Amino acid sequence: KVRRTRAENTSQFHAESVYLTDINEIINERVRYKHTALLGLKIKLTDQLNGVPNVTYINRGIKIKVWNTATNAWVRKASSNPAWIVYDILTNTRYGGSVPESQIDLYKFREWAKFCDENDLDFNGVIDGSASLWDAMQPVLRVGHAKLVMMGTKYTLAIEKPDTPVMMFSQANIIKGTFSNEWLSMSDRTNEVEIRYYDKNDNYKQRSVKLYDEQAISRGQVQRMSSLTLPGVTDAKQAQYEA
């Protein structure tokens, strides 16, 4: 649409002719980045800028359901607690197992979450490839010191932590001649442990910590090392604890 805003001018210094050269169409349509972490940059263009700068950032992870003990209700936020990560993997209907929440032992998951918080057990890893549900959960369960088990039709947990004994075995309840006990020989036992982790204080490069059985070394035993890589462990203190 063109509109003349002043009277016709006969001066040779004013252009009066209008020529149509291009027609561009603009379609106002929302661009969707569904299920995608986005990073926006606003860069001031100056004569000092000769290219797009390299940018690194930390992705805190997808927001998942986390039980708030203060309000006794679910909240949605990023979490490094292994309990709620496994819970999300099991129940999420898009990328998880679509397990109904009625089949999850929430009481046990809350107990596990508290245990992880009290012992600084965090999983700060990325699960971005194709894997079975079981394989995807294994690194998280390992860091959280728990194992997923079935109890009837419900998923519950066996948590590796001190607990109250529920059964005692003695001469009173063991049939004579049926009890046997086997020990791993000293020559087969590991006396050096190496834990590989991803140091958050060094751009998440792989680092390792080692622990030695000083008594075994002082006795002149051959070094027998056991190595373990722990995806999701980014703190040297946590790696030392695992060793």
Side-chain angles (χ1 to χ4, degrees):
K1 181 185 292 186
V2 179
R3 184 178 65 181
R4 179 184 290 275
T5 59
R6 61 183 180 182
E8 184 176 353
N9 196 307
T10 58
S11 172
Q12 60 179 344
F13 299 104
H14 290 80
E16 292 291 333
S17 300
V18 177
Y19 302 94
L20 182 64
T21 59
D22 296 283
I23 297 178
N24 293 322
E25 184 179 10
I26 299 176
I27 300 176
N28 293 319
E29 186 176 12
R30 296 180 63 185
V31 180
R32 296 185 181 275
Y33 293 94
K34 197 172 184 180
H35 312 308
T36 304
L38 297 178
L39 172 68
L41 299 176
K42 189 176 182 180
I43 304 173
K44 187 176 181 180
L45 182 61
T46 67
D47 55 358
Q48 302 295 320
L49 188 67
N50 56 10
V52 179
N54 292 325
V55 179
T56 59
Y57 67 97
I58 297 177
N59 184 352
R60 297 296 179 186
I62 193 170
K63 291 183 178 181
I64 60 177
K65 289 177 66 174
V66 176
W67 185 261
N68 187 327
T69 55
T71 61
N72 281 330
W74 291 106
V75 294
R76 187 167 290 277
K77 65 178 184 177
S79 175
S80 60
N81 191 303
W84 304 128
I85 295 173
V86 170
Y87 192 95
D88 183 64
I89 294 174
L90 280 172
T91 59
N92 192 278
T93 57
R94 181 172 65 85
Y95 52 78
S98 300
V99 176
E101 295 189 7
S102 59
Q103 291 183 228
I104 307 292
D105 186 352
L106 178 58
Y107 176 83
K108 202 67 177 179
F109 271 83
R110 290 167 58 182
E111 179 186 340
W112 182 27
K114 182 180 179 181
F115 171 74
C116 291
D117 287 336
E118 291 174 346
N119 293 277
D120 296 325
L121 301 179
D122 295 319
F123 183 85
N124 290 298
V126 178
I127 304 174
D128 60 354
S130 298
S132 68
L133 191 71
W134 182 256
D135 290 340
M137 289 189 294
Q138 292 313 300
V140 191
L141 289 164
R142 174 64 186 84
V143 170
H145 292 206
K147 183 178 180 181
L148 196 69
V149 294
M150 290 295 295
M151 185 175 65
T153 59
K154 280 196 171 187
Y155 288 92
T156 186
L157 296 157
I159 306 170
E160 183 187 354
K161 67 171 186 174
D163 206 347
T164 304
V166 295
M167 185 68 183
M168 297 291 291
F169 293 94
S170 66
Q171 293 179 348
N173 57 3
I174 297 178
I175 299 175
K176 184 178 180 179
T178 63
F179 178 77
S180 64
N181 198 7
E182 294 183 6
W183 298 92
L184 188 67
S185 67
M186 295 300 294
S187 60
D188 293 329
R189 297 186 186 185
T190 296
N191 54 27
E192 178 181 337
V193 178
E194 179 186 39
I195 299 293
R196 292 184 289 268
Y197 70 105
Y198 301 88
D199 195 349
K200 64 182 179 182
N201 296 319
D202 193 14
N203 291 324
Y204 297 92
K205 294 179 182 176
Q206 191 178 87
R207 294 285 182 263
S208 63
V209 296
K210 289 185 180 181
L211 286 185
Y212 306 89
D213 183 346
E214 296 180 358
Q215 293 183 359
I217 294 175
S218 66
R219 291 194 297 265
Q221 292 186 9
V222 177
Q223 287 180 267
R224 293 177 294 276
M225 186 175 73
S226 178
S227 298
L228 182 64
T229 301
L230 292 179
V233 174
T234 60
D235 184 75
K237 181 181 178 181
Q238 186 176 352
Q240 188 87 3
Y241 174 79
E242 292 294 335

